[in-house]
Amino acid sequence: MAFADTPSLHPANWLRDIEAQVPRKAVRDFWNRLRYGAEAPLSDERIFVDPCAVTVSYDGPAAGRLLRRHHSGMVLGGEWDSYRQPFAQNIKCRSAWMHYVDGLPWAETPLFDRMLRHVAEGRRPDGCNSYEDVVQRYETLDRIFEETDRRRRLLTQAELPGFLRREHGGILVHIDRNGAPLRAGGGMHRLAIAQILKLQDIPAQLGVVHPEALYKGVFATLRQPLARDAGLNG
């Protein structure tokens, strides 16, 4: 198997594999296959969702359990998927709409103020260490917006530099008991951009899956892109 097709196997990426908990995910995939069969969810799997259908976020603090990228592919029962809040209330979503729809400069959005406050406190929000880093961060986001608008689709992780494994690093979504997507941590700006541009569907990294979605047979539909007719995902 070529390293170009499976970069997670390349020795140069072993540290990244550990950080992404790839060995643990591989074990999870194995047990999922034993329990749920050949069509079981895979960690870091690429799924496709209608961005405008992602209207709620998983509320980890309220549920008492944070579910992150390293939980990708986990099948988890219980009531965790009932803890939710509107995605539109998220500061990144609100600020993106203020900038791209209302025309406000990033510097006048609440998100920009929060980023600067976190930098001043010694944190590294989105990898930013200074005012200049924050400005550059949002200049980069504007380029992503323009390129996405031109293509009319979001690129998959395999099409981007630094590709590691499947859709790891993509927009993270959990799947509730009815097969509906719940926004999770990761890719919030990109999701907001896709909603603003009204894209037909987007690639996403699979997060946690409620077993009822598997039993009802609704999970399988997420594996196929919605935008078939125009060839937007070809």
Side-chain angles (χ1 to χ4, degrees), residues 41 47-56 75-76 78 80-82 84 173-183 202 204-224 226:
I47 59 174
F48 294 91
V49 298
D50 175 355
C52 294
V54 187
T55 59
V56 292
V75 179
L76 182 65
W80 63 270
D81 61 333
S82 65
R84 49 184 71 195
V173 295
H174 302 316
I175 304 302
D176 75 6
R177 66 192 63 204
N178 297 311
L182 299 177
R183 191 211 63 79
I202 55 174
Q205 178 187 356
L206 177 67
V208 174
V209 182
H210 198 286
E212 289 189 27
L214 302 180
Y215 300 144
K216 293 175 181 177
V218 294
F219 172 76
T221 61
L222 298 169
R223 288 179 159 141
Q224 298 298 323
L226 305 172

Side-chain angles (χ1 to χ4, degrees), residues 85-130:
Q85 57 186 359
F87 174 57
Q89 293 181 2
N90 181 275
I91 189 172
K92 291 186 177 181
C93 180
R94 288 190 291 112
S95 295
W97 280 81
M98 292 170 68
H99 177 66
Y100 293 117
V101 178
D102 299 333
L104 286 179
W106 279 114
E108 295 181 19
T109 65
L111 176 59
F112 198 91
D113 287 342
R114 190 180 75 173
M115 291 281 285
L116 293 183
R117 185 170 64 254
H118 287 178
V119 167
E121 293 170 352
R123 309 189 203 180
R124 299 185 68 251
D126 292 335
C128 296
N129 293 307
S130 65

Side-chain angles (χ1 to χ4, degrees), residues 64-168:
R65 182 171 189 175
L66 299 180
L67 298 174
R68 306 290 197 184
R69 290 193 190 278
H70 62 267
H71 294 107
S72 177
M74 177 184 292
V75 179
L76 182 65
E79 299 300 316
W80 63 270
D81 61 333
S82 65
Y83 293 91
R84 49 184 71 195
Q85 57 186 359
F87 174 57
Q89 293 181 2
N90 181 275
I91 189 172
K92 291 186 177 181
C93 180
R94 288 190 291 112
S95 295
W97 280 81
M98 292 170 68
H99 177 66
Y100 293 117
V101 178
D102 299 333
L104 286 179
W106 279 114
E108 295 181 19
T109 65
L111 176 59
F112 198 91
D113 287 342
R114 190 180 75 173
M115 291 281 285
L116 293 183
R117 185 170 64 254
H118 287 178
V119 167
E121 293 170 352
R123 309 189 203 180
R124 299 185 68 251
D126 292 335
C128 296
N129 293 307
S130 65
Y131 174 85
E132 290 74 19
D133 287 348
V134 176
V135 171
Q136 185 176 17
R137 160 73 172 157
Y138 289 101
E139 288 176 348
T140 299
L141 196 64
D142 285 345
R143 288 195 294 272
I144 293 174
F145 182 93
E146 293 168 2
E147 292 169 359
T148 302
D149 189 22
R150 176 173 53 81
R151 294 190 187 98
R152 299 306 302 166
R153 72 181 183 97
L154 279 174
L155 297 179
T156 65
Q157 290 299 295
E159 296 174 285
L160 296 172
F163 169 60
L164 179 67
R165 181 178 191 258
R166 298 174 183 165
E167 194 61 21
H168 174 75

